[in-house]
Amino acid sequence: MRNDTPVPVVEIASTTSTPLQQVMDLLREHGPVIRRRLHGRDVLFVADPDLVAELCDEERFAKHVGPALENVRAFAEDGLFTAYNDEPNWARAHDVLMPAFALGSMRTYHPVMLRVARRLIRSWDAAETPVDVPEDMTRMTLDTIGLAGFGYDFASFARDEPHPFVQAMVRCLEWSMHRLGRRAGDDHDAEDAAFGEDAAYLASVVDDVITARTASGETGQDDLMGLMLGSDLDHANIRNQVITFLIAGHETTSGALAFALYHLVKHPGELRAVQREVDALWGDTDGPEPTFEEVGLLRRTRQVLNEALRLWPTAAAFSRHARVDTVLGGRIPMRAGDAATVVVPMLHRDAAVWGDNPELFDPSRFDPEAEAARPVHAYKPFGTGERACIGRQFALHEATMLLAMLVHRYRFADHDRYGLRVKETLTLKPDGFTLEISPRTERFARRAEPEAVEESAAGGPSRVLDGTGVLVLHGSNYGTCRGFAADLAAATEGIGCAAEVAPLDAYAGGLPAGRPVVVVAASYNGRPTDDAAGFTEWLEKAGAGAVDGVPYAVLGVGDRNWAATYQRVPGRVDTRLAELGGDRLVARGEADASGDLGGAVRAFTGTLLRELLDRYGDPALAGEAGGPAYTVTELTGGPLDALARRHDLVPMTVTASRSLTEPAYARVKRFVRVALPEGVTYRTADHLSVLPANPSALVERTARLLGADPDTVLSIVPAAGPGLAALAVDRPVTVRELLTHHVDLGHRPGAEALARLAALNPCPPEQAALRAVPPGTATLPDLVEAHPALREALTWPVLLELLEPMRPRTYSVSSSPAVDPGHADLMVSAAAPGTGSAHLASVRPGDTVLAGVRPCREAFRVSHGDTPLILVAAGTGLAPFRGVVADRRALAAAGTPAPAPALLYFGCDAPDADYLHGDELAAAQAEGVVSVRPAFSEAPVDGARFVQHRIEADAAELWPLLRRGARVYVCGDASRMAPGVRDAFRALYVRHTPGADDEAARTWLDRLVTDGRYVEDVYGG
């Protein structure tokens, strides 16, 4: 809060026909937080951004179903919007319906949206009188949600009057609103009876919708109705969800569109800006057919909608209640269950956030830099947290497309000099807003065709001969080598090669002749990765001459910390290919994860490309550019599609995000759940590869340090010749987009890059300082800030060579498909250094991430039978074992005979700090499916601070299990925890094996590893 004055109590005698606007006036008069007293009942209304930010804290507050929503429950019951937080159907329906609002589903709905938009346009084309904007927007959005969500056509534009469903719905909403102002004892029987009839009619229409769908025999699950009918939701709840979506899915969107058109008509300059945008996209095409991707290019149009929703958010309030006793803003006591209502239009008018004239319609408030600088909870048109509007992407896509199409096609005349009157029926929309429309006759802009100009390198050939192919094979467990293989393929494509990328096992029977083969491989404990086991087995057994004349190159990826097995597999592949008659193109590359990994990959790539040009270069393209003067590329898809394709990722929607640790605990761990798109599956202990983004504050800081305008557009064309075309950029990008998505600003340059920076620096003292910087200790932005003379030397081409491309990070999935096959859970350490964890720790429900499921090693698959299990984890290493425990609970619930015992050793700091998913583990132990053995480093029991100590203490219990064939699975930190656990098991062996020494213990443990009975999935080493 801005001051410590008491909260004003404002008593009113009655509400008006516009109660929300009445509260807005009270807040204008008395300040941004008040208690309104009506008929003896107080309601706390809040519009102060700082207080709203507190109310949005999911740890302290939750959605409150207050009196207004209680009234809506009279006809929507436990639908998503009106369900209580603890009602089982809320979580069940939310999980069922979330996939319907993933990006892939949005693409499915787009043709339906376009089809209904055409209905509106045909109606307006035929109009001889002014059009009723709110009414026609309602017709359009009702038909869209009916068809897209439920396969039901309300055919609203074939009616002279609004569909009876709309009329009954509006009356139900009005009844809900006016019921709030009733005095006790007044007679409202007639109103209640009329409401009862309307509610019954809504239910009957929805029952008809459900019946029509079931009678059709359709069993697909590509829309809301299909998902619900294919789930375990009961008929009553499906009806409630349909009513909810038919109301929320069209009433609010239609209001947003009507407000946006009103503001554009009243602000001709903004209207012209949107016209310029749509004309640049569609030119003078009379009836454009917007593609899904084109809607994403309508940035100014979207800003107009965002600003209209700022001034008049159509769902204008949401309520929150305290989870526990707390104090709001340090001065407003709230007991558990006490509620506050956020008045969103007034939150959106706070001068401290929105400037001195917050009533002014100004879409530039949603320029990217303005959004980045704004507090995250200052703009809330869709509610907050996991109970925020599930369909906001649907609504914004539909509204953006239609608004752009209308602006492109029509001129608008404010024939009535309309003054805004806002109608309230719990939602908001302009009342009585009509426009005269006519076709636009002047079209000046034409659609711009993207083009890229490619320069050839001086000297030798710049491209290979037509038809030159390259096969890039990878051996990868966690995706690193797969990513490097994709980068190498892209680099070879940059010099004209036709590149194919595949796992090594795809060629386990032999390598093809006629094209170079590049192998990118790693080892795991000295053994091949899961996707390379078949290939290496063939390679060892192959006879002399099996790869005669095949040109090849090998890039090995490893970590010198594992000195005994470092580069073992790629080294053996390189040796055997030579022995079998292969033609080595270049010396084997060695990329060390503990050294300058990126620099080594770049060096190998440059050497390889030069060799390919020497061997296969087109002499006609030596020295001077050949071929056409321009290379013209037609672009499709979104701005990150090329990046997603490069790493085999798809958009996934975050459906839940919360802290797993206590509020006062410094090393925060977060829970993140994503909805898996249709067709994407996973198995317990699999991994999720996630492409991070740099935080906006770091992007802005870097741009400022480089003296770059974040909105400057860059055309990035890889140089023709031997260089690493690692950036997956297929179109011009802004500086902000480049720094956010395509380069890793958190990477710390190694020795080679530091030497180059020192050589580039024109200031001798700074040169010396740079040479003294230890490799891997500072990011490039940090180095530029500390050595400002670098700025003039760091041109964009130099920067792109120095900055590491953004690469996916891999996380163990912490859930089980036996519980929920449509979602994957993650545990993320927010305190962990690095771009990936920081990004995932910042995501919130509704955000989209680019991700892909990656299988874990088969050796790490846990089976539940007669073999005892010993599971060892620390911190977020618990992730795969949470899924394992969930599997065992599901088996027990299904009546499966009890498997052999499972012991789970879990290391954390304290039981009241970071005992992750402690309640779940306690429940599982109570059910007898696992024995949990925690070790608390800050609250040790009997001296057991870490899991290895607890293992040593339990040696007498563990040894018989190991003698029975128990399998040990370890997940956690590779540098401290994993070695400590190995030492504990070796000590256990020595203690229980007479005459055994340390060497015998090492041999015993190595045998367990070889036999797949001791398996690690560790990180950070």
Side-chain angles (χ1 to χ4, degrees):
M1 277 295 296
R2 299 186 180 103
N3 56 62
D4 296 324
T5 58
V7 176
V9 178
V10 183
E11 186 163 6
I12 61 174
S14 63
T15 59
T16 67
S17 61
T18 54
L20 188 280
Q21 292 167 82
Q22 182 184 34
V23 172
M24 292 173 65
D25 288 338
L26 295 177
L27 289 166
R28 288 186 178 100
E29 180 179 355
H30 298 284
V33 54
I34 63 170
R35 292 189 188 275
R36 189 201 66 183
R37 182 167 296 163
L38 174 64
H39 308 328
R41 188 175 72 87
D42 286 3
V43 177
L44 179 65
F45 288 103
V46 177
D48 179 273
D50 296 329
L51 297 185
V52 171
E54 289 192 39
L55 290 169
C56 292
D57 181 351
E58 293 292 323
E59 301 296 322
R60 295 171 59 198
F61 297 92
K63 172 165 178 163
H64 181 68
V65 178
L69 291 188
E70 288 284 3
N71 292 341
V72 178
R73 278 183 66 93
F75 58 96
E77 298 183 31
D78 60 352
L80 280 182
F81 188 56
T82 48
Y84 302 123
N85 296 317
D86 56 357
E87 278 187 294
N89 273 342
W90 177 81
R92 190 176 297 125
H94 186 267
D95 290 345
V96 167
L97 292 167
M98 272 304 296
F101 296 98
L103 181 63
S105 298
M106 293 299 105
R107 292 179 181 274
T108 302
Y109 302 143
H110 177 83
V112 177
M113 296 177 181
L114 186 57
R115 171 185 166 192
V116 180
R118 290 271 170 245
R119 293 181 180 179
L120 172 63
I121 286 174
R122 284 195 297 269
S123 173
W124 280 21
D125 282 352
E128 297 179 355
T129 59
V131 295
D132 187 320
V133 175
E135 183 175 303
D136 282 348
M137 295 302 108
T138 298
R139 293 174 191 265
M140 188 266 182
T141 53
L142 177 68
D143 284 7
T144 299
I145 188 60
L147 284 166
F150 313 110
Y152 187 88
D153 193 352
F154 285 93
S156 299
F157 288 99
R159 301 172 180 271
D160 293 332
E161 297 295 326
H163 193 285
F165 181 91
V166 173
Q167 297 172 328
M169 178 206 68
V170 170
R171 289 193 297 267
C172 286
L173 291 173
E174 288 175 337
W175 175 86
S176 302
M177 181 180 70
H178 294 310
R179 194 168 185 246
L180 295 172
R182 290 182 179 179
R183 288 180 179 275
D186 288 353
D187 182 9
H188 297 282
D189 288 348
E191 299 166 29
D192 292 345
F195 162 76
E197 293 177 3
D198 285 332
Y201 176 73
L202 293 182
S204 70
V205 171
V206 171
D207 283 340
D208 288 344
V209 172
I210 297 172
T211 300
R213 179 59 170 268
T214 54
S216 71
E218 292 183 35
T219 58
Q221 296 189 13
D222 55 355
D223 65 1
L224 301 175
M225 183 67 80
L227 286 169
M228 291 190 291
L229 291 175
S231 73
D232 60 354
L233 298 179
D234 57 57
H235 179 91
N237 186 253
I238 293 175
R239 177 201 296 143
N240 298 334
Q241 303 302 348
V242 176
I243 290 175
T244 297
F245 277 104
L246 286 175
I247 294 172
H250 90 278
E251 179 70 3
T252 53
T253 310
S254 62
L257 278 162
F259 279 122
L261 276 170
Y262 162 78
H263 286 297
L264 285 178
V265 168
K266 295 296 183 179
H267 296 83
E270 295 299 338
L271 177 60
R272 285 193 294 273
V274 177
Q275 287 172 337
R276 285 194 295 271
E277 179 175 73
V278 297
D279 286 347
L281 196 60
W282 298 322
D284 58 0
T285 304
D286 186 55
E289 296 283 331
T291 65
F292 178 86
E293 289 75 16
E294 284 176 338
V295 176
L297 301 176
L298 296 165
R299 296 181 180 177
R300 191 65 181 184
T301 309
R302 175 68 175 272
Q303 287 180 234
V304 165
L305 278 164
N306 287 345
E307 177 69 350
L309 285 167
R310 179 187 72 83
L311 288 168
W312 293 107
T314 49
F318 60 89
S319 297
R320 307 280 285 171
H321 68 243
R323 294 181 183 270
V324 295
D325 293 353
T326 189
V327 179
L328 181 64
R331 69 187 185 96
I332 305 174
M334 298 182 71
R335 293 187 179 277
D338 285 355
T341 295
V342 176
V343 183
V344 183
M346 292 306 293
L347 169 69
H348 292 177
R349 285 169 166 79
D350 187 274
V353 174
W354 302 97
D356 295 335
N357 193 359
E359 296 288 348
L360 177 68
F361 178 76
D362 181 7
S364 66
R365 300 180 199 273
F366 292 89
D367 288 345
E369 62 272 14
E371 286 192 283
R374 198 154 46 236
V376 294
H377 295 297
Y379 184 64
K380 290 286 179 181
F382 296 104
T384 191
E386 63 180 2
R387 297 296 304 269
C389 174
I390 192 175
R392 55 181 172 256
Q393 292 186 40
F394 183 103
L396 288 170
H397 185 89
E398 175 188 18
T400 303
M401 181 186 73
L402 180 64
L403 184 61
M405 292 175 72
L406 296 178
V407 168
H408 179 262
R409 188 172 187 85
Y410 298 111
R411 294 186 181 279
F412 305 111
D414 184 11
H415 67 104
D416 205 23
R417 296 186 179 179
Y418 175 76
L420 182 62
R421 300 185 303 278
V422 178
K423 180 180 181 179
E424 298 185 27
T425 55
L426 287 186
T427 62
L428 309 179
K429 62 177 56 179
D431 187 22
F433 175 40
T434 61
L435 288 173
E436 287 184 349
I437 57 173
S438 59
R440 289 176 67 207
T441 56
E442 295 178 285
R443 303 286 167 82
F444 300 105
R446 294 294 181 270
R447 185 172 180 172
E449 295 293 339
E451 58 184 36
V453 180
E454 196 173 85
E455 296 180 3
S456 58
S462 60
R463 294 177 68 81
V464 296
L465 291 162
D466 286 347
T468 302
V470 171
L471 175 62
V472 186
L473 301 176
H474 58 76
S476 182
N477 274 338
Y478 302 132
T480 301
C481 288
R482 184 189 300 111
F484 286 145
D487 290 346
L488 275 164
T492 64
E493 288 172 345
I495 60 170
C497 295
E500 176 190 350
V501 180
L504 278 161
D505 277 356
Y507 288 85
L511 293 177
R515 56 176 168 168
V517 176
V518 181
V519 175
V520 186
S523 309
Y524 180 80
N525 283 340
R527 297 191 303 277
T529 55
D530 288 346
D531 60 355
F535 176 83
T536 54
E537 182 180 0
W538 165 80
L539 195 65
E540 291 299 332
K541 296 178 179 178
V547 293
D548 264 352
V550 175
Y552 79 92
V554 176
L555 171 63
V557 180
D559 187 333
R560 287 187 186 276
N561 286 323
W562 306 89
T565 58
Y566 177 65
Q567 298 281 340
R568 178 178 292 175
V569 170
R572 183 59 180 162
V573 169
D574 182 48
T575 299
R576 280 297 289 161
L577 288 174
E579 291 173 351
L580 296 174
D583 177 12
R584 185 183 286 122
L585 288 166
V586 296
R588 174 168 57 90
E590 289 192 8
D592 177 14
S594 294
D596 188 3
L597 182 69
V601 175
R602 278 194 297 272
F604 175 84
T605 304
T607 302
L608 175 66
L609 295 185
R610 281 189 289 272
E611 182 63 22
L612 290 175
L613 287 171
D614 284 348
R615 292 200 182 199
Y616 306 102
D618 186 345
L621 298 180
E624 297 182 2
Y630 296 94
T631 299
V632 180
T633 304
E634 183 174 337
L635 301 179
T636 60
L640 296 181
D641 282 9
L643 197 57
R645 284 194 302 271
R646 168 77 62 84
H647 299 292
D648 191 23
L649 307 175
V650 295
M652 297 186 186
T653 301
V654 177
T655 62
S657 174
R658 56 183 168 82
S659 177
L660 289 171
T661 48
E662 293 301 313
Y665 183 68
R667 296 201 295 275
V668 176
K669 311 289 194 302
R670 291 193 65 81
F671 171 91
V672 176
R673 173 173 291 164
V674 297
L676 301 178
E678 183 176 357
V680 175
T681 60
Y682 75 103
R683 297 167 64 190
T684 301
D686 276 349
H687 301 93
L688 197 70
S689 188
V690 181
L691 188 72
N694 293 304
S696 58
L698 177 58
V699 170
E700 297 294 328
R701 173 187 169 223
T702 304
R704 185 175 63 254
L705 288 170
L706 297 175
D709 181 347
D711 292 321
T712 295
V713 177
L714 304 175
S715 177
I716 301 172
V717 180
L724 177 57
L727 295 184
V729 178
D730 64 352
R731 67 197 64 210
V733 294
T734 64
V735 170
R736 179 178 287 103
E737 290 168 337
L738 174 69
L739 297 181
T740 300
H741 298 292
H742 294 280
V743 294
D744 187 352
L745 298 179
H747 175 74
R748 291 165 168 78
E752 180 184 341
L754 287 169
R756 185 172 183 195
L757 286 169
L760 288 168
N761 197 308
C763 173
E766 288 188 10
Q767 284 183 354
L770 278 167
R771 293 191 181 97
V773 174
T777 59
T779 66
L780 190 63
D782 293 337
L783 293 168
V784 175
E785 189 168 48
H787 308 88
L790 275 174
R791 298 179 189 179
E792 62 187 82
L794 294 181
T795 62
W796 282 114
V798 172
L799 275 167
L800 294 183
E801 292 176 15
L802 289 167
L803 287 166
E804 282 291 312
M806 189 69 83
R807 301 185 191 281
R809 272 61 166 180
T810 301
Y811 304 86
S812 294
V813 175
S814 72
S815 52
S816 161
V819 177
D820 184 356
H823 291 83
D825 297 346
L826 302 175
M827 299 181 195
V828 182
S829 176
T835 305
S837 295
H839 171 66
L840 265 188
S842 71
V843 299
R844 294 298 181 263
D847 291 346
T848 299
V849 295
L850 287 174
V853 172
R854 305 290 183 249
C856 73
R857 293 180 299 113
E858 284 303 313
F860 206 77
R861 300 274 182 215
V862 178
S863 58
H864 305 282
D866 297 329
T867 303
L869 303 178
I870 302 170
L871 314 175
V872 187
T876 56
L878 176 67
F881 301 144
R882 178 177 179 246
V884 170
V885 172
D887 282 345
R888 294 175 73 88
R889 296 182 74 182
L891 290 171
T896 304
L903 281 62
L904 172 58
Y905 290 88
F906 177 35
C908 45
D909 286 348
D912 59 352
D914 63 334
Y915 194 18
L916 310 181
H917 296 289
D919 292 341
E920 285 182 23
L921 297 179
Q925 178 157 286
E927 294 165 11
V929 301
V930 69
S931 175
V932 184
R933 313 290 177 91
F936 302 112
S937 62
E938 295 178 4
V941 177
D942 297 330
R945 293 189 62 209
F946 302 113
V947 286
Q948 55 264 43
H949 303 149
R950 188 73 190 264
I951 290 167
E952 292 167 359
D954 291 348
E957 182 181 3
L958 294 175
W959 182 246
L961 296 179
L962 290 165
R963 295 288 299 272
R964 284 176 54 188
R967 292 179 179 274
V968 182
Y969 297 89
V970 183
C971 187
D973 169 46
S975 60
R976 291 172 296 178
M977 175 265 203
V981 172
R982 288 194 292 272
D983 288 342
F985 276 98
R986 292 188 191 107
L988 181 152
Y989 175 82
V990 169
R991 184 185 306 176
H992 290 87
T993 307
D997 58 10
D998 290 343
E999 184 60 32
R1002 277 192 290 272
T1003 301
W1004 170 77
L1005 189 60
D1006 289 345
R1007 187 167 61 251
L1008 290 186
V1009 171
T1010 301
D1011 294 343
R1013 289 183 51 206
Y1014 189 100
V1015 189
E1016 295 178 337
D1017 185 355
V1018 294
Y1019 50 83

